[in-house]
Amino acid sequence: MSAVEINKDTWLKWFESMLLMRKFEEKTGQLYGQQKIRGFCHLYIGQEAVVAGAISAMQKGDSMITTYRDHAHALALGVSADSIMAEMYGKATGCSKGKGGSMHMFSKEHNFYGGHAIVGGQIPLGAGVAFAEKYKGTDNVNICYMGDGAVRQGALNETFNMAMLWKLPVVFVCENNGYAMGTSVQRTTNMTDIYKIGLGFDMPCAPVDGMDPVAVHNAMDEAIQRARKGEGPTFLEMRTYRYRGHSMSDPAKYRTKEELEDYKAKDPVEHARETILKEKYADQAWIEEVEAKVKAIVDQAVKFAEESPWPDASELYKDVYMQQDYPYVTD
């Protein structure tokens, strides 16, 4: 059972949060098609419950680190839609000053440590953030996300071993959407029950229905509480699904229409909407009010990004880590 109660307010927050993620990503897809957003772009449509259910189990001070499919995580942590959209436009008002784009969101203020494009690169970094919290004596926990393709990186094994040895306050979350880019899990690993990787390190681990915010919340809450008590990490395999391709350039021809429709029948946004109405937590008028509010936020984010300035050329030389007297640089 969850130590953090799921109640009416939880469901209302889940619906509004997931609807914002969904509508923001749908608009992002449209803008990419219009070439307003350039470079690589990976949408989160379908996976919203994995983040919503985690946020409701976290406390102030906890942090997140994730992959390049990062827009929803930033939104859920409270990074403004304006600054996220501006970042994807490459504008100076973006959350990474327009230097990161879609794949490299970051906000120190909101304890969001990226947005990482190197597959699996964030896994040891998440453990590093957790080590820092333990070193400083806080009770903060890091939530470290990865995709199903990243679990086959060697850094995961090294990190899991160290995290268990030092009992680091980190929850490792595999967002298993079935396909590492365009290749199914079944074609890339003998261990299709990905969560079982944790067994080799005596790490508590479990599979979770990633389409259900309740299941996500309960699993995340248990893992977070364990980490907060100093009992170390947990590895959770969130079994979820993305309705769009791996990136905007992916036509997703490697899966069937029937498979897609099966998962759309479990849509987390619609599930939240139906639960709210069924349990009479709110009426249809409230639903429509939230829909209008979300639309206004997304429209304002686009307006903000469109009207924001481009970074000055001098920004090329800022936020770059370098040694002033590096001996091998010559004129």
Side-chain angles (χ1 to χ4, degrees):
M1 292 296 292
S2 171
V4 182
E5 181 187 1
I6 299 173
N7 52 30
K8 169 185 172 180
D9 288 341
T10 311
W11 277 103
L12 298 182
K13 288 177 183 176
W14 278 345
F15 177 70
E16 185 169 338
S17 175
M18 290 193 293
L19 187 65
L20 177 58
M21 296 178 209
R22 176 69 57 86
K23 296 303 180 182
F24 186 91
E25 292 290 67
E26 289 176 349
K27 177 59 73 173
T28 296
Q30 293 173 10
L31 294 167
Y32 192 91
Q34 297 167 13
Q35 297 190 333
K36 297 282 188 179
I37 296 171
R38 305 294 185 95
F40 294 104
C41 184
H42 307 79
L43 303 181
Y44 204 69
I45 297 171
Q47 299 183 210
E48 295 89 353
V50 177
V51 168
I55 291 291
S56 55
M58 295 168 66
Q59 72 176 25
K60 185 176 177 60
D62 293 340
S63 60
M64 273 188 184
I65 191 168
T66 189
T67 71
Y68 41 75
R69 198 182 303 277
D70 58 355
H71 317 153
H73 302 73
L75 278 171
L77 281 170
V79 182
S80 74
D82 286 4
S83 66
I84 295 172
M85 188 64 77
E87 185 59 38
M88 289 194 285
Y89 267 65
K91 296 297 185 73
T93 53
C95 55
S96 297
K97 303 182 183 179
K99 301 178 181 183
S102 168
M103 299 196 294
H104 303 99
M105 303 287 172
F106 184 91
S107 176
K108 181 179 179 181
E109 176 189 356
H110 297 90
N111 294 325
F112 182 54
Y113 297 117
H116 294 265
I118 302 299
V119 175
Q122 76 282 4
I123 299 173
L125 296 179
V129 172
F131 175 81
E133 298 291 3
K134 183 168 185 175
Y135 184 83
K136 291 187 291 185
T138 76
D139 68 347
N140 297 331
V141 177
N142 177 259
I143 315 300
C144 178
Y145 288 91
M146 67 200 76
D148 47 274
V151 300
R152 284 172 284 288
Q153 295 291 334
L156 177 137
N157 295 282
E158 297 175 359
T159 302
F160 276 20
N161 182 62
M162 187 175 289
M164 279 299 292
L165 184 64
W166 292 347
K167 297 295 182 285
L168 299 182
V170 56
V171 180
F172 297 107
V173 179
C174 173
E175 298 192 75
N176 181 5
N177 58 31
Y179 298 94
M181 296 187 71
T183 307
S184 69
V185 170
Q186 287 78 8
R187 291 186 64 190
T188 57
T189 179
N190 185 56
M191 181 71 78
T192 54
D193 287 327
I194 289 175
Y195 73 95
K196 291 181 180 178
I197 293 172
L199 297 175
F201 303 89
D202 282 339
M203 185 184 296
C205 53
V208 182
D209 181 358
M211 305 300 283
D212 179 5
V214 175
V216 174
H217 173 95
N218 287 336
M220 289 297 298
D221 182 63
E222 181 181 348
I224 288 170
Q225 297 306 324
R226 182 185 296 121
R228 225 183 286 291
K229 293 174 185 175
E231 297 174 5
T234 300
F235 181 43
L236 299 174
E237 178 194 347
M238 301 288 178
R239 294 174 174 175
T240 183
Y241 201 78
R242 50 173 164 79
Y243 298 160
R244 304 288 287 270
H246 170 73
S247 68
M248 288 299 296
S249 61
D250 174 15
K253 292 181 179 179
Y254 42 80
R255 61 188 182 185
T256 65
K257 291 181 180 178
E258 290 75 19
E259 178 182 284
L260 180 59
E261 291 306 313
D262 283 347
Y263 276 97
K264 283 188 174 181
K266 306 171 187 175
D267 188 285
V269 178
E270 292 309 309
H271 173 52
R273 186 197 307 270
E274 292 166 5
T275 300
I276 288 168
L277 294 175
K278 179 183 177 183
E279 299 296 330
K280 295 183 169 53
Y281 292 147
D283 57 17
Q284 183 61 31
W286 180 87
I287 295 284
E288 292 172 3
E289 182 181 322
V290 170
E291 290 174 337
K293 177 182 176 181
V294 165
K295 184 179 185 303
I297 291 172
V298 174
D299 289 345
Q300 165 58 28
V302 176
K303 183 175 184 291
F304 178 80
E306 291 277 0
E307 296 176 353
S308 291
W310 298 103
D312 187 84
S314 63
E315 284 292 322
L316 284 170
Y317 303 98
K318 297 178 182 177
D319 305 313
V320 178
Y321 295 93
M322 59 178 288
Q323 182 179 329
Q324 294 291 342
D325 59 348
Y326 189 66
Y328 304 109
V329 175
T330 59
D331 293 331

